[in-house]
Amino acid sequence: MSMPDITTGKWHSLFNEAHCQTCSLSPLCLPLSLEFTDMDEFDAIIRRRAPLKKGETLFLQDATFTSLYAVRSGSLKQVTTEGSGEDQLTNFYLPSELVGLDGIDETRYPGTVIALETTTVCEIPFDRLEALSQDIPELRSQLFRTMSKELRDDRRMMRLLSRKSADQRLASFFVSLSERFRRRGYSPYSFRLSMSRADIGNYLGLAVETVSRILNRFQQQSLVAVSGREVHILDLDTLGCVAEERALDSPGVS
Amino acid sequence: MSMPDITTGKWHSLFNEAHCQTCSLSPLCLPLSLEFTDMDEFDAIIRRRAPLKKGETLFLQDATFTSLYAVRSGSLKQVTTEGSGEDQLTNFYLPSELVGLDGIDETRYPGTVIALETTTVCEIPFDRLEALSQDIPELRSQLFRTMSKELRDDRRMMRLLSRKSADQRLASFFVSLSERFRRRGYSPYSFRLSMSRADIGNYLGLAVETVSRILNRFQQQSLVAVSGREVHILDLDTLGCVAEERALDSPGVS
DNA sequence: CGGCTTCTTGATCTCGATCAATCAGCGTGG
DNA sequence: CCACGCTGATTGATCGAGATCAAGAAGCCG
């Protein structure tokens, strides 16, 4: 839909020409607060990567940590396999978001990251980024802030997982997605889910069947219109209320 | 028990003399990888704080973010109140751990931090820390690593909250506590819980009653011996298995 | 078309929440 | 010293949200 068309064959040139200075995402991405000259320096360490196709992995769990990745287009999921248990989907990544921050303190990435659709990323070698962050205080500061924000989001997720009902989880998910699309200049009301129901369930700690049923219920309540992976949000306000409301106050649920 | 005695009155002098160079926690704390001269510089920006008594708050949710805090002794909990819902306990902090990292990207702390017992902390003004981290690459690197580790721990917590049974949660909690005490030089097998059952339940996403019941069960299975807040871990290995095992494989639970 | 995977829908079962006492620990004041 | 009240911990009985099991129904692609 709103993503550039991969089939034209113009990608490669487009993609070689790409620079932070001309990237529409730079106000959201790491170079956010950089001056032009600093941005040049930053841009110089970035490695553009060939696009990933749907289902391809950016890196595997336990691979040696070397780089962070900024998403340019498309989306990815991070999956952690631990012990005997099943996989846990810990994150979805959208354009301008930074992948790999949780790998810094170890030598390995703590999860596998997989493209959910055709996806392009910028590779940022971490040693060079760290060196550069010595000379550019804004860059360092921005890195700290990005990590801090991710910590904060994690805490929100913990609250969702430990206190919210299935309805509240789904509602939160849609509100959050809507907000993320809005910030990126896409419509907050109409978008296409790049992840399967199973992914959503795994991420939210719910069974696939539950996701399906609640989506159906939301549809009957005219909160959203869902057709396959196409989503139209009809009543964002109420959805926001559902997301935060205590299960008690919900009136005529019957 | 293993904590210095607060009642002797010797605290204040002890506490004024305290420096990173002589602090037994420095190999675990932020100055971990610093040279002597660097550690002096770091030590100079630290502000020692008067001890907090049980129940006192280090800072309130939405207070302006200014500093990180390193725990010297005692322990704290972080509690977030959001919307109409109840509080969510997002973290316990033990000596050498860094409090406040999730406040960096906003101007405010995202939760209230409360002492669970008599607790001393070192205040580290963040603007000075950030400035210092420009000159001391090891310090900057350590900060990144600390934040990254916290991200990783958060992901583990999400897995616990979304996939693990109540038994597994409690077992994980004890294994994790045990490990944290061990790293700090305390006994990994005998310790005193500074938090209430309600706190544990809130943190693990369980009702108090459930915590109580499962503790009882663990006791009957001779995994732990619990008396009030005094804990003796009898079978750490099995506890570790319980923490990771899928509910299926557990053999003769009956 | 057939052979996939993904999604939906229905029926049943279970774990842990909730409700409701009771009990234990503990500081306070008579 | 002991009755009182308060908070925290335990124990028992019931209930319900959501998992699980089991079929179908759509898509999707060679």
Side-chain angles (χ1 to χ4, degrees):
Chain A
M1 43 175 313
S2 355
M3 305 288 158
D5 186 17
I6 188 73
T7 61
T8 60
K10 293 188 72 179
W11 254 106
H12 225 67
S13 53
L14 220 169
F15 144 90
N16 280 332
E17 286 165 19
H19 290 292
C20 294
Q21 291 84 343
T22 57
C23 176
S24 65
L25 292 172
S26 65
L28 295 168
C29 196
L30 253 195
L32 185 152
S33 43
L34 300 189
E35 306 287 332
F36 277 120
T37 52
D38 290 340
M39 207 185 284
D40 275 338
E41 284 195 80
F42 178 74
D43 186 72
I45 72 169
I46 304 275
R47 287 203 282 257
R48 323 292 159 179
R49 279 277 206 111
L52 292 165
K53 288 204 280 285
K54 178 175 176 172
E56 287 181 343
T57 69
L58 180 57
F59 50 74
L60 286 168
Q61 179 165 358
D62 296 327
T64 305
F65 170 82
T66 55
S67 302
L68 302 177
Y69 297 87
V71 184
R72 277 172 63 74
S73 70
S75 53
L76 309 104
K77 63 177 175 183
Q78 180 168 51
V79 177
T80 305
T81 312
E82 216 169 324
S84 47
E86 304 147 22
D87 293 351
Q88 167 72 17
L89 205 168
T90 54
N91 237 330
F92 294 114
Y93 294 102
L94 295 188
S96 88
E97 291 174 340
L98 220 45
V99 182
L101 288 171
D102 47 6
I104 293 177
D105 80 307
E106 300 274 336
T107 50
R108 290 144 187 283
Y109 293 104
T112 298
V113 172
I114 301 171
L116 292 169
E117 59 194 310
T118 302
T119 296
T120 53
V121 298
C122 299
E123 179 177 356
I124 311 170
F126 186 68
D127 50 356
R128 314 229 13 215
L129 177 63
E130 213 189 1
L132 198 58
S133 82
Q134 171 141 19
D135 305 325
I136 311 178
E138 291 78 18
L139 182 61
R140 187 177 63 237
S141 167
Q142 186 55 35
L143 247 178
F144 283 137
R145 264 181 276 130
T146 305
M147 294 185 80
S148 175
K149 177 164 180 357
E150 199 155 327
L151 282 174
R152 188 184 292 254
D153 289 343
D154 284 355
R155 305 288 149 89
R156 227 192 305 276
M157 195 63 191
M158 288 183 203
R159 174 158 172 272
L160 179 143
L161 291 172
S162 80
R163 305 234 94 79
K164 291 191 179 182
S165 71
D167 292 52
Q168 293 177 305
R169 294 183 198 191
L170 255 301
S172 301
F173 180 67
F174 279 124
V175 171
S176 159
L177 264 190
S178 168
E179 170 62 13
R180 285 159 85 184
F181 282 124
R182 199 187 58 70
R183 294 209 55 202
R184 270 152 256 274
Y186 301 124
S187 164
Y189 301 114
S190 299
F191 44 86
R192 168 164 240 286
L193 299 173
S194 56
M195 67 292 282
S196 69
R197 302 284 193 271
D199 286 339
I200 297 175
N202 190 326
Y203 179 61
L204 296 177
L206 299 171
V208 204
E209 296 93 326
T210 307
V211 173
S212 198
R213 273 185 257 270
I214 291 174
L215 247 47
N216 192 2
R217 181 137 30 93
F218 280 177
Q219 201 147 210
Q220 284 168 13
Q221 299 172 236
S222 299
L223 298 177
V224 294
V226 185
S227 166
R229 296 190 171 184
E230 214 63 50
V231 174
H232 294 265
I233 295 193
L234 303 176
D235 189 346
L236 190 54
D237 290 345
T238 312
L239 220 44
C241 292
V242 173
E244 287 307 324
E245 224 142 30
R246 293 265 47 217
L248 307 170
D249 335 331
S250 37
V253 182
S254 117
Chain B
M1 44 178 309
S2 355
M3 304 286 160
D5 186 17
I6 187 73
T7 62
T8 60
K10 293 187 71 177
W11 254 105
H12 226 68
S13 54
L14 220 170
F15 143 90
N16 279 332
E17 287 165 18
H19 288 293
C20 294
Q21 292 84 344
T22 57
C23 177
S24 64
L25 292 173
S26 64
L28 296 167
C29 195
L30 251 195
L32 188 149
S33 43
L34 300 190
E35 307 287 331
F36 277 120
T37 51
D38 290 340
M39 207 186 282
D40 274 337
E41 284 195 81
F42 178 74
D43 186 71
I45 72 169
I46 304 276
R47 286 203 284 256
R48 323 292 159 177
R49 278 276 206 115
L52 292 165
K53 287 204 280 287
K54 178 176 175 170
E56 287 182 344
T57 69
L58 180 58
F59 51 75
L60 286 167
Q61 180 165 358
D62 296 328
T64 306
F65 171 82
T66 55
S67 303
L68 303 176
Y69 296 88
V71 184
R72 278 173 62 74
S73 69
S75 54
L76 309 104
K77 64 177 173 182
Q78 180 168 51
V79 177
T80 306
T81 313
E82 217 168 324
S84 46
E86 305 147 24
D87 294 350
Q88 166 74 16
L89 203 166
T90 53
N91 237 329
F92 293 115
Y93 293 103
L94 296 188
S96 88
E97 291 174 340
L98 220 45
V99 181
L101 288 172
D102 46 5
I104 293 177
D105 79 309
E106 300 274 334
T107 50
R108 291 143 186 282
Y109 293 104
T112 297
V113 172
I114 301 172
L116 291 168
E117 59 195 309
T118 302
T119 295
T120 53
V121 298
C122 299
E123 179 177 356
I124 311 170
F126 186 68
D127 50 355
R128 314 229 10 216
L129 177 65
E130 213 190 0
L132 199 59
S133 82
Q134 169 142 21
D135 306 325
I136 311 179
E138 291 78 18
L139 182 61
R140 186 178 63 238
S141 166
Q142 187 55 35
L143 247 178
F144 283 137
R145 264 181 275 131
T146 305
M147 295 185 80
S148 174
K149 176 164 182 354
E150 200 156 327
L151 282 174
R152 187 183 293 254
D153 289 343
D154 284 356
R155 306 287 150 89
R156 227 193 304 277
M157 195 64 192
M158 289 183 204
R159 174 156 173 273
L160 179 144
L161 291 172
S162 81
R163 306 232 93 80
K164 290 190 179 182
S165 70
D167 292 51
Q168 293 178 303
R169 294 184 198 192
L170 254 301
S172 301
F173 180 68
F174 279 125
V175 171
S176 159
L177 265 190
S178 169
E179 171 62 15
R180 284 158 86 184
F181 282 124
R182 198 186 59 69
R183 293 209 55 203
R184 269 152 257 274
Y186 301 123
S187 164
Y189 301 114
S190 300
F191 45 86
R192 171 166 237 285
L193 300 172
S194 57
M195 66 293 283
S196 69
R197 302 285 194 270
D199 285 340
I200 298 175
N202 189 325
Y203 178 61
L204 297 176
L206 299 171
V208 205
E209 296 94 325
T210 307
V211 174
S212 200
R213 273 186 257 269
I214 291 173
L215 247 47
N216 193 1
R217 180 137 32 92
F218 281 178
Q219 202 147 210
Q220 286 169 12
Q221 299 172 235
S222 301
L223 299 178
V224 295
V226 185
S227 166
R229 295 190 171 186
E230 215 62 52
V231 174
H232 294 266
I233 295 193
L234 303 176
D235 190 347
L236 190 55
D237 290 345
T238 313
L239 220 43
C241 292
V242 172
E244 286 307 323
E245 223 143 31
R246 293 263 49 218
L248 308 169
D249 338 330
S250 36
V253 182
S254 119

